[in-house]
Structures are given as structure tokens and as C-alpha cells.
Amino acid sequence: MKKLLKFDIIHPTEYLIEKQSEWIDLDSLSLDEYRNRLIALRSNYSDYYTYHLNETKEWEAEEFFLLDPVFLNKTAKELLGIKRYILKAKGIVLGKLFRINDYYQQKVIQKYINHFEPDVIFVRSQPLPSAFWSQFRNSSLLVARLSARLPRHWHPNDWDLIYTDQPDFKTFFDLHGTRTIMNDQGFDTRIIRELLNRDKQYECTFLGGLGTQNFLKRTEFINAVSQKIDFKWWGYWWKYGSDGRNLIDFPNLAQTYQGASSGLEMYQIFKDSKICLNDYVDTANGIGFNQRMFEVMGVGGFLLTRWAPNFEKDFPKGIFATYTDRTDCLEKIKYYLKENEERELIASAGQRFIAENYDYSRIAKDFSQEITEELFKKKIDLQNC
């Protein structure tokens, strides 16, 4: 049986911290119990790949959650026992004396990889330098997935295979000689059974990141729209590398902010909203294909998203609504808030389309076949070296 170890995060961090504060049994949970607790949150990409890989009976696939000190410490406790304190102390000393960051984290990850012995390392989130994974190149197929902007200290040549949903990225990575595969976003239909069916709670909502570095255009757009309608938003404010403005400098956004959200709570908000607003303008170079579209439609929410030239090719008509600018967006919001029956018909059509075409059972099946082929090629190449 082939083995895959997937590295991911719970996002945003504020949401995870809030959840950890609610779990009074946190200290008593084993590593496996805690991993399952994190998966059950349905945050970010949860176990959408690993669950369906395991279902094939061809894979043993497991999640490792980066940037979570609790997960890291439970991993260290299981593998090292009391020796973990020596490793952590060494990391603190190296950090203070030589500014060597992430020593403890990297050593624990290294030991867990050696313990698990994966055929494939799948790094879906990229908080570590890509060169870190190169030490496992002779024993594992190194696979990355990248959809957002290029991380710092990251290079395509550090990977054997890259997945992306951004055509510009594929062109860029191919030019560097790293095989790159276009990989669909998707939705796991298990989520539907985990949500409440109830009357709509909100008029118009937005869920995602805002801020003046990564999301400047989106922030200014959402801020302008929020002044004219009954609006609420959840998510996070990007604190790093901004132009100096913070959430408090956008009074309408500050007033309508409801806090961090993710996972099942996020999906429930989509289901409870009459209109779910989406904007990818800062991140996808004009391509409308972000994860939010699939999440909203997947739960049966009504999606109002910025128009993109790829929609006619990639999606049928009548499964979501689009806007072109602020004026058009406000007009569409007012229209669809009045037209309840039309809005619900569109939302239902969107949910059917996603379930039939973008369920993770299909995406994981394609993924399994592709990485199996790449794994076979790599083993042949290593034998010939």
C-alpha cells in the first residue's frame, strides 16, 4: 500500500486559537484524537484529499497540521517522550543566539516523516521554506499545491510535481522545468449532512481575508459596498506589509465585522445567507475559479461573484450570478434580495452542478492516478542513477 503524508494548516489562526480555548479536554487528547478533532472542524481543506485516498484502499494517507503548536507538541510527545524538552530548549537557544527560526518545528516534522515513511509528501500549505523538503527527495515524491501568491523562500525546482488552479502559475512553473498539473478546486459533499437546515439568517455576507497589502482592491470594493446594504463579514485582517491602514481605518468594515470563522461555521454562514458575495480580484489575475465559489455553491448558497472571462467556458449559465463593478454589484444585490424564487432556483442549480462535477471523490481519484504515475517514474529514475 502506498503512503501519503499531507501538510496543511487550520486557517485563520485566530479561529483555531478560539476553538482550542473551548476544548476543556485538550491536554488529555492523544495525537490521533486531536488530529481527528481538527479534521472535524472542516477548516481549510480538512481531510478532503486524504479521506478519499484512504477510501480507495490503495493508500494510507494522513494529515499533519503545520503552524499549530498543540499538534506539534503532541507529535513530539508521541515520538520523543521527555526528550522533546531538550529539543525545544535547543530551538529556543538557537533562535536567540543565531536567529535560527523553526528549528524545533522542523526537527519534529523530520522525525515524523522518518517515522511515517511516506511515498508521497504533499505540501498543500507553504509556511516553511521549500528547500526544507529537499532532504526527503530520495525517499519521497515531493508534491506541492499553490493557488495564492508565491510564498517567501519558495522555488518550483524544489518539487517533483506542482498542482495549481492558476494558468499563469502553470506557465511559470513549466518554464522552470517542474511538471505542473492544473487541479480543480472542489467541494466535499459530506459537508451537506453536517449542516443545519433553517431559515435564512443574513441578507448579504462576505467571508475571507481583507487588508491593504494582499487584498487592497478587494478591501476597497467590499468597504464601498458595505456602506449601502445590510451587510456582515467574517474572516481576518491581513496584518503584514500593509500601507499602514488597519481595520479601524475602514469604519464600515469595522462595524460589520463579525469575527474569525472557518470550517463548518463558515459553511453554515453560506447556507444561512440570502446572498454570498465573492471577489477574487487581488489574487487570480482575472480568473474566476477560487475555492469560495465551490464552497458557497456546494452547500446550496447563492453566489454573487465578480464576472470573469473564463465563466462561459468553465461553467454553465444559471448556477450563480455575476457583477462587473460596484454599481452593478449593488443593483444585483437589491434585485436578488427581492427575487426569492429565482435566487433559490439558481442556488439549487449551483449545488447540483458542484455535486455532479467537483466532488472531492472525483478530484482525489484523478490525483491518485497522477501521483501514482509520477511516483513510478521517480522510482525508475532513482534506480537508473
Side-chain angles (χ1 to χ4, degrees):
M1 182 176 289
K2 296 164 291 189
K3 300 175 75 174
L4 178 143
L5 190 55
K6 172 172 164 275
F7 291 86
D8 215 326
I9 62 172
I10 303 295
H11 181 72
T13 303
E14 295 88 344
Y15 169 80
L16 175 60
I17 293 172
E18 180 182 317
K19 288 300 174 186
Q20 290 171 336
S21 69
E22 297 172 359
W23 295 336
I24 59 175
D25 60 345
L26 183 62
D27 292 340
S28 65
L29 295 175
S30 69
L31 175 61
D32 284 341
E33 289 171 335
Y34 182 60
R35 179 189 287 110
N36 290 333
R37 182 77 59 89
L38 294 178
I39 288 172
L41 290 175
R42 299 299 185 207
S43 176
N44 211 15
Y45 285 72
S46 186
D47 64 344
Y48 304 150
Y49 282 91
T50 54
Y51 172 84
H52 292 289
L53 287 176
N54 286 325
E55 286 292 290
T56 68
K57 308 302 181 185
E58 299 175 4
W59 291 90
E60 178 185 348
E62 191 171 276
E63 300 283 340
F64 192 107
F65 290 96
L66 299 164
L67 302 185
D68 179 1
V70 176
F71 188 91
L72 197 69
N73 288 335
K74 287 184 180 294
T75 303
K77 181 179 180 181
E78 181 172 288
L79 294 180
L80 301 170
I82 60 173
K83 292 182 180 179
R84 68 187 185 278
Y85 296 115
I86 298 175
L87 189 65
K88 182 176 284 189
K90 185 176 180 180
I92 293 172
V93 171
L94 290 173
K96 289 182 177 179
L97 293 180
F98 304 105
R99 295 184 179 179
I100 299 176
N101 299 319
D102 302 322
Y103 175 84
Y104 174 65
Q105 180 188 32
Q106 292 187 14
K107 285 298 181 182
V108 173
I109 291 172
Q110 183 184 58
K111 289 186 177 296
Y112 198 82
I113 289 173
N114 292 335
H115 165 76
F116 189 78
E117 297 182 330
D119 298 291
V120 178
I121 293 174
F122 178 34
V123 186
R124 206 218 58 83
S125 186
Q126 311 286 337
L128 292 176
S130 58
F132 166 77
W133 307 100
S134 298
Q135 63 186 296
F136 308 107
R137 191 155 221 152
N138 290 332
S139 58
S140 302
L141 182 74
L142 302 182
V143 182
R145 189 183 191 284
L146 196 66
S147 185
R149 295 180 177 184
L150 290 180
R152 293 184 65 190
H153 311 303
W154 189 96
H155 197 282
N157 291 155
D158 289 328
W159 308 98
D160 297 311
L161 176 65
I162 301 176
Y163 282 89
T164 186
D165 60 353
Q166 301 299 320
D168 288 347
F169 273 177
K170 175 171 170 50
T171 301
F172 178 71
F173 300 150
D174 284 343
L175 287 171
H176 280 78
T178 302
R179 189 182 178 214
T180 305
I181 297 175
M182 293 296 292
N183 169 243
D184 290 334
Q185 299 281 12
F187 177 76
D188 197 308
T189 53
R190 291 177 294 161
I191 298 298
I192 298 171
R193 301 190 295 271
E194 300 173 13
L195 299 176
L196 299 174
N197 289 310
R198 60 191 184 190
D199 293 338
K200 300 296 184 184
Q201 310 289 308
Y202 313 109
E203 296 285 289
C204 183
T205 61
F206 169 78
L207 202 147
L210 296 177
T212 58
Q213 183 197 32
N214 284 358
F215 312 115
L216 177 60
K217 294 179 181 178
R218 179 198 292 176
T219 299
E220 293 176 337
F221 172 74
I222 297 292
N223 181 58
V225 170
S226 69
Q227 301 176 38
K228 304 292 184 179
I229 58 173
D230 184 350
F231 175 81
K232 292 180 174 60
W233 75 282
W234 290 257
Y236 62 97
W237 187 267
W238 186 259
K239 303 180 180 67
Y240 311 103
S242 72
D243 61 11
R245 289 180 293 171
N246 295 307
L247 179 57
I248 195 172
D249 298 307
F250 296 84
N252 293 291
L253 293 180
Q255 185 177 2
T256 54
Y257 181 53
Q258 307 297 303
S261 185
S262 187
L264 284 178
E265 294 173 10
M266 175 191 73
Y267 288 116
Q268 190 68 56
I269 292 169
F270 294 151
K271 190 174 179 64
D272 288 346
S273 300
K274 293 181 180 178
I275 295 176
C276 300
L277 192 60
N278 179 53
D279 192 5
Y280 54 84
V281 65
D282 289 292
T283 56
N285 196 23
I287 301 298
F289 213 78
N290 66 337
Q291 177 65 13
R292 190 84 341 121
M293 296 177 63
F294 298 86
E295 294 166 341
V296 172
M297 288 192 285
V299 302
F302 176 84
L303 175 70
L304 178 60
T305 189
R306 185 180 292 275
W307 179 86
N310 65 293
F311 285 164
E312 289 186 10
K313 175 175 64 75
D314 293 331
F315 300 103
K317 293 181 179 180
I319 64 170
F320 55 80
T322 65
Y323 62 86
T324 55
D325 55 27
R326 181 179 65 180
T327 300
D328 187 38
C329 180
L330 289 169
E331 289 177 354
K332 295 286 178 60
I333 290 172
K334 292 176 182 177
Y335 173 81
Y336 284 111
L337 286 177
K338 294 178 182 178
E339 300 296 329
N340 294 327
E341 184 176 353
E342 182 180 355
R343 190 183 68 236
E344 291 304 312
L345 285 173
I346 292 172
S348 296
Q351 185 175 36
R352 287 194 301 271
F353 175 78
I354 294 300
E356 292 170 0
N357 295 278
Y358 289 96
D359 182 53
Y360 269 105
S361 59
R362 190 272 295 170
I363 293 172
K365 182 179 179 181
D366 294 342
F367 180 76
S368 173
Q369 180 177 343
E370 290 156 356
I371 59 176
T372 297
E373 292 172 358
E374 289 299 311
L375 186 60
F376 178 77
K377 292 177 185 177
K378 178 161 186 172
K379 287 182 177 179
I380 295 297
D381 290 341
L382 289 175
Q383 289 173 1
N384 292 333
C385 288

